[in-house]
Amino acid sequence: VIILAAGQGTRMRSRLPKVLHPLAGKPMLAHVTAAAKQLGVEKIHVVVGHGAEDVKAAFADENLHWALQQQQLGTGHAVAQAMPAVADDSLVLIAYGDVPLVKPETFARLLNACNTETLALLTVELDDPTGYGRIVRDAENAISAIVEQKDADANQLTINEVNTGILAAPASKLKQWLPKLSSENAQGEYYLTDIIHMAVADDMAVVALNPETAWEVQGANDRAQLSELERHYQRDQANALMKAGASLADPARVDIRGTLSVGEDVFIDVNCVFIGAVTLGCGVRVQPNCVIENSSVDEGSLIKANSVLEQAAVGKNCEVGPFARLRPGAKLGDKVKIGNFVEVKNSTFGVGSKANHLAYVGDAEVGSGSNIGAGTITCNYDGVNKYKTVLGKNVFIGSNSTLIAPIEVSDDGFVAAGSTITKNIPGKNLAVARGKQKNIEGWERPGKKDRDK
């Protein structure tokens, strides 16, 4: 596969290279490379130019082969930069880094239609073909050439079948044709499309295939077009979710920036965002305005409105939120309740435990059946190191308590409200650690000072 990704994208009006602009949370180019990898191809070559080092750095962890197009002299010139690294007996699929939504199945159909005697071309019919190269056919309806918009005559401009630029051809033929390209055209560029009439001249069959939908082959030249592709992508993801058994309050108001796996009877309300790998078990309900990233929510659980989950695992029949935050390492057993304005980080909760409101639980183990009252915090950080808090089974932490780690409260331990706990508490003990109350008789509130005096 050769992916053309050298363009500057001036209409984006951005310092960011065009192909690095995000769609569904990852660069446009990443969508194309991901689709290419599903084909089981030998190598993926990416032709870079503008912002080449930034593009390469963004994909440093991927096994890609890079070719540099120092001057952007057209698509034919771009492909030629990668060809020296391509074996003569290869079949070559040519794709574009700013056309991010072509499905792997579409690429596969092109490759399957291509052989040493056949060039496969992806075309699409548009109601408004303005700006696209027209597919010219002969009297027998065979493709004879592609004519770019600026070079087309009046009759050719009426053609609705257009070139997507995506094609598959034998490498041996490409190596013959590309050196013969000419820049004598309206744009002064070496058009890849000119190889079509060369293929016809060589008595090579040129077959046209079509994508399932026109938006699959739409490119993004500016931010408005990119936003259109985002909506197409998200609606496609929403449709897949509904086929898998999820109900969406509004398919137009859910964003998936990764992979979302759902069980049956999942319900997702409006304005929810799913990032990375997320799994929702059967019967899970997600209320409005939630962000869930790289997390799992087991069956029957409820994520209430405005909650944020990141690298968290929620057990069965739990309740989280509203306005809760589960940070990395939060693991909730079954039937756990994490209420409003509770933050949990790198902590485990046993079955049936709860922190219903206004608490911070970090670097802790909470046993089953325990209760953490409002205003409670685990003081897990001394400015240098992190320390652990361990609460046994059926522990009760009264409201507005401070647990200074490292500390352990054994099974059935009880902490009185307003306590600052610095020592371990044995099982079935009550710990009270607060200043003695003093009532001052006859005390008068201070009054406001007279500013004129």
Side-chain angles (χ1 to χ4, degrees):
V1 176
I2 297 176
I3 303 171
L4 306 189
Q8 181 175 359
T10 55
R11 281 180 279 176
M12 287 287 187
R13 295 189 178 274
S14 173
R15 297 177 184 178
L16 192 68
K18 182 181 181 181
V19 295
L20 294 187
H21 279 264
L23 185 147
K26 63 182 181 181
M28 286 194 285
L29 177 58
H31 289 268
V32 187
T33 59
K37 287 178 181 178
Q38 294 188 44
L39 302 174
V41 295
E42 181 180 342
K43 290 182 180 180
I44 300 174
H45 304 265
V46 182
V47 181
V48 291
H50 178 76
E53 294 307 313
D54 290 335
V55 177
K56 290 164 72 172
F59 290 82
D61 295 334
E62 296 196 26
N63 185 24
L64 302 175
H65 300 264
W66 303 96
L68 180 63
Q69 186 187 25
Q70 290 186 337
Q71 291 181 287
Q72 279 72 67
L73 301 177
T75 51
H77 178 260
V79 174
Q81 309 314 300
M83 289 307 297
V86 177
D88 290 350
D89 60 350
S90 297
L91 296 178
V92 178
L93 173 70
I94 297 171
Y96 296 80
D98 61 352
V99 183
L101 298 186
V102 182
K103 295 180 179 179
E105 297 82 0
T106 302
F107 283 146
R109 287 194 294 121
L110 272 179
L111 281 174
N112 290 336
C114 175
N115 54 54
T116 56
E117 301 298 329
T118 304
L119 183 151
L121 184 66
L122 194 63
T123 71
V124 65
E125 291 203 11
L126 301 176
D127 294 334
D128 181 7
T130 302
Y132 288 87
R134 307 306 202 272
I135 302 297
V136 178
R137 294 178 179 268
D138 60 22
E140 298 179 353
N141 203 38
I143 295 175
S144 59
I146 299 175
V147 180
E148 296 298 328
Q149 168 97 16
K150 293 184 178 180
D151 301 304
D153 59 32
N155 287 331
Q156 291 166 340
L157 288 174
T158 65
I159 298 173
N160 291 94
E161 185 184 14
V162 301
N163 173 44
T164 67
I166 299 166
L167 58 86
S172 58
K173 292 293 186 179
L174 286 172
K175 291 184 177 184
Q176 293 177 26
W177 297 330
L178 291 173
K180 299 177 183 179
L181 294 177
S182 169
S183 61
E184 294 181 5
N185 50 58
Q187 292 188 207
E189 295 184 352
Y190 296 93
Y191 294 149
L192 179 63
T193 50
D194 287 347
I195 69 171
I196 301 302
H197 72 79
M198 296 181 186
V200 173
D202 287 350
D203 293 325
M204 191 171 189
V206 178
V207 298
L209 289 82
N210 307 120
E212 289 184 6
T213 60
W215 59 258
E216 191 180 337
V217 292
Q218 286 180 10
N221 292 312
D222 56 35
R223 295 176 191 267
Q225 291 178 345
L226 183 58
S227 69
E228 290 177 8
L229 291 184
E230 180 79 36
R231 286 301 98 210
H232 285 308
Y233 177 87
Q234 295 300 344
R235 185 56 198 250
D236 194 48
Q237 296 296 301
N239 288 338
L241 287 176
M242 291 185 285
K243 289 180 181 178
S247 294
L248 308 182
D250 184 350
R253 287 191 286 170
V254 59
D255 274 48
I256 300 165
R257 301 169 187 172
T259 58
L260 174 56
S261 301
V262 297
E264 296 177 349
D265 301 315
V266 165
F267 175 77
I268 300 172
D269 216 320
V270 299
N271 301 330
C272 291
V273 180
F274 301 92
I275 303 170
V278 177
T279 301
L280 305 180
C282 294
V284 166
R285 292 168 291 157
V286 183
Q287 291 183 351
N289 309 317
C290 292
V291 178
I292 303 179
E293 178 176 358
N294 291 315
S295 299
S296 62
V297 182
D298 216 334
E299 63 181 72
S301 289
L302 169 62
I303 309 301
K304 294 184 178 180
N306 303 293
S307 295
V308 177
L309 284 64
E310 180 185 1
Q311 297 179 37
V314 178
K316 298 177 182 178
N317 301 309
C318 293
E319 289 187 13
V320 176
F323 294 98
R325 184 183 182 195
L326 302 186
R327 290 172 57 193
K331 297 180 180 179
L332 310 185
D334 297 344
K335 299 180 181 179
V336 168
K337 293 184 178 181
I338 301 296
N340 48 285
F341 304 105
V342 174
E343 179 180 348
V344 179
K345 188 270 295 183
N346 193 33
S347 299
T348 60
F349 276 68
V351 175
S353 290
K354 54 188 176 181
N356 277 330
H357 31 229
L358 302 164
Y360 168 69
V361 181
D363 297 300
E365 289 182 10
V366 181
S368 60
S370 293
N371 180 85
I372 296 175
T376 296
I377 63 169
T378 57
C379 298
N380 57 326
Y381 184 51
D382 65 2
V384 179
N385 300 301
K386 298 286 184 69
Y387 298 95
K388 194 170 186 177
T389 297
V390 178
L391 307 182
K393 297 178 182 178
N394 302 312
V395 166
F396 186 94
I397 307 297
S399 297
N400 203 35
S401 294
T402 302
L403 308 178
I404 300 179
I407 199 165
E408 181 174 353
V409 182
S410 297
D411 294 355
D412 299 303
F414 198 109
V415 174
S419 295
T420 297
I421 302 300
T422 59
K423 298 178 181 179
N424 291 344
I425 303 172
K428 299 183 179 180
N429 275 226
L430 167 65
V432 182
R434 56 195 180 203
K436 186 176 181 181
Q437 181 174 324
K438 180 188 293 185
N439 297 334
I440 300 175
E441 187 176 351
W443 178 83
E444 295 183 4
R445 293 187 184 186
K448 291 185 178 181
K449 293 181 179 179
D450 189 342
R451 295 182 181 179
D452 295 333
K453 292 182 180 180

